[in-house]
Amino acid sequence: MAPNDVSHRRTHNLLLISKLLNLREGAAPLTLVQDSLEQPAAPLLKEYIRRTKLSKGHVTFVSFDTLTRPAGADTFINAAGKPYELIAEEVTSSYTASQPTGNQNITPKSKYSKKTLFVQSAKAQTLGYLVIVDSVHPLLSPRAGAKTVYLPEYLSSLLGPASPHVQVSLVLVYHRHIPSSPSSNPYSPSPLSLLTYLATTIITTHSMSQMLARKAAIDRSLAPPVFGLEEEVDGVLIGRVNQHLKGEKQDGIVLEMEHRRKSGRGIVEWYFLPHASKYSAKQATEVVILLDDHPLYKRKDNEVNEESWEPESTFELGLTERQRRERDNVVLPYFDAQKGDGPGEGGRILYDMGEEDDFDEEEDEI
């Protein structure tokens, strides 16, 4: 790949992941995060909360598995054992509770002015709300005695009433290691298929050490290894975890992102998110990098020299300045053949007989 293409891909995809994680301009109304036992989604959720607080947004955390309130969560809803309708009401009520007062009357101090200024603080800026559901499985497999949840309608109820000044983004966590219950209707899609269809962005978390092990096997033309439950070994639940390699520790997680634009065009990219201890909690610059740019993942023999795009070889493939001038001064024969003035003259064959040519009068007469 040419250096310009690599640079364009890096810039474009880094801007895209920054826009998605910062929840700007409603880029991802519904994000599906798929995690596993080897790599939970907790570091990614903390990054979502950190960026939302930097943008002065409101975070609502709906807990089915989490016992304590995460740091930075404004509203913590313990959803274990509650009716699903009540959970939706608590989520939507958190929007109105955090909104500022609508109108404030400000009387000017000047005695010459008798008008009252009305400042609508709610219309001054768009309010951003982030709703995180730490496990979507209770919605997919309702408990005994509970009503079956129609997922598209229920997720729409979590967004609340439509408002041009309220922007709500949903982040749902799906655990890949938990098997889904079979559907009663054989013609209905599976819950995971329905979620992936509704989601605008799908992020799958991977362990960095597992990615390095798979890459090492692929580079040697071997079958990539499997880990955890995919090994199908009795007693093995969690596969390889982050370990020290050559004195370096892979502090971070790998994100496999699939984003779907409004036009239907999909973008797939792999990223690396460092551990939260590697940067400040108030850092505004982007911390996510492409996985191909990670020093332990990228191949050194495939590094592209941005100064010269020509392929490397044992001999010189380029031309000197003198060789370029001499090449440009060469007049090719087909240029003279196009100088005919009369009709049919263009494209005539120019040929000068040499000493070795045999002149045959009989052929000329024919």
Side-chain angles (χ1 to χ4, degrees):
M1 186 178 293
N4 293 335
D5 297 337
V6 174
S7 177
H8 180 269
R9 166 176 165 263
R10 180 185 297 109
T11 303
H12 178 271
N13 291 342
L14 287 180
L15 289 176
L16 176 60
I17 192 64
S18 177
K19 185 177 181 180
L20 295 177
L21 294 181
N22 292 327
L23 305 176
R24 291 199 302 263
E25 303 174 2
L30 177 58
T31 302
L32 178 63
V33 178
Q34 303 183 68
D35 68 347
S36 61
L37 291 175
E38 288 84 4
Q39 186 55 69
L44 179 59
L45 298 183
K46 292 180 181 179
E47 182 65 16
Y48 267 113
I49 296 176
R50 184 187 74 88
R51 298 190 182 216
T52 304
K53 301 307 293 183
L54 286 178
S55 60
K56 299 181 180 180
H58 185 273
V59 179
T60 301
F61 196 95
V62 181
S63 170
F64 286 98
D65 299 336
T66 309
L67 300 179
T68 59
R69 177 195 294 262
D74 299 302
T75 303
F76 182 78
I77 300 175
N78 188 3
K82 291 184 179 180
Y84 300 129
E85 295 80 3
L86 180 59
I87 297 174
E89 292 178 1
E90 293 184 7
V91 171
T92 54
S93 62
S94 65
Y95 306 154
T96 57
S98 61
Q99 290 181 4
T101 56
N103 298 333
Q104 296 178 357
N105 296 337
I106 301 178
T107 304
K109 297 181 180 180
S110 176
K111 61 181 180 180
Y112 301 101
S113 177
K114 297 182 180 180
K115 296 182 180 180
T116 304
L117 302 180
F118 296 94
V119 179
Q120 298 180 355
S121 58
K123 294 184 179 180
Q125 59 181 355
T126 302
L127 303 177
Y129 295 90
L130 172 64
V131 180
I132 299 177
V133 181
D134 63 351
S135 178
V136 75
H137 289 275
L139 302 178
L140 304 179
S141 303
R143 56 185 177 273
K147 297 181 180 179
T148 304
V149 177
Y150 182 58
L151 202 57
E153 182 180 359
Y154 186 77
L155 295 179
S156 300
S157 66
L158 296 180
L159 299 177
S163 174
H165 306 291
V166 175
Q167 176 184 315
V168 182
S169 299
L170 292 177
V171 176
L172 308 179
V173 179
Y174 181 88
H175 305 303
R176 290 178 293 168
H177 55 273
I178 299 180
S180 58
S181 59
S183 176
S184 58
N185 186 2
Y187 298 100
S188 62
S190 63
L192 181 58
S193 301
L194 184 58
L195 281 175
T196 54
Y197 177 78
L198 296 175
T200 54
T201 304
I202 303 173
I203 299 178
T204 306
T205 60
H206 299 275
S207 173
M208 184 61 186
S209 58
Q210 294 182 4
M211 295 299 300
L212 293 176
R214 293 190 182 99
K215 180 179 180 298
I218 294 175
D219 291 343
R220 292 179 292 176
S221 300
L222 300 176
V226 294
F227 304 96
L229 297 176
E230 296 180 358
E231 298 181 25
E232 298 182 355
V233 178
D234 294 340
V236 176
L237 297 179
I238 301 178
R240 181 193 297 262
V241 295
N242 288 344
Q243 299 174 351
H244 291 274
L245 180 63
K246 297 181 181 180
E248 298 183 8
K249 189 177 181 181
Q250 306 97 35
D251 280 337
I253 63 175
V254 177
L255 306 177
E256 179 186 359
M257 184 271 298
E258 178 184 355
H259 178 65
R260 299 160 185 171
R261 296 184 177 274
K262 295 180 180 179
S263 60
R265 175 172 172 260
I267 300 177
V268 179
E269 187 57 87
W270 293 75
Y271 300 93
F272 176 78
L273 174 64
H275 193 267
S277 60
K278 299 296 183 179
Y279 52 90
S280 173
K282 296 183 179 181
Q283 181 172 343
T285 57
E286 187 56 58
V287 297
V288 179
I289 62 174
L290 295 183
L291 182 60
D292 294 338
D293 294 337
H294 194 278
L296 297 180
Y297 190 84
K298 65 180 180 181
R299 298 181 59 179
K300 297 181 180 180
D301 54 345
N302 285 345
E303 291 182 353
V304 180
N305 185 9
E306 297 184 358
E307 297 180 357
S308 176
W309 57 270
E310 296 179 354
E312 297 180 357
S313 178
T314 56
F315 52 89
E316 181 65 31
L317 296 177
L319 297 176
T320 62
E321 189 64 27
R322 178 182 176 183
Q323 291 173 342
R324 290 192 182 93
R325 289 197 304 267
E326 293 178 353
R327 181 191 62 181
D328 296 338
N329 294 331
V330 174
V331 180
L332 300 178
Y334 56 80
F335 285 108
D336 293 337
Q338 306 298 328
K339 294 181 179 180
D341 297 333
E345 292 293 332
R348 68 183 186 277
I349 299 176
L350 300 179
Y351 179 73
D352 295 332
M353 296 183 59
E355 297 178 356
E356 297 83 4
D357 294 332
D358 185 13
F359 182 77
D360 193 346
E361 297 180 356
E362 296 180 357
E363 292 183 358
D364 293 342
E365 293 177 357
I366 296 176

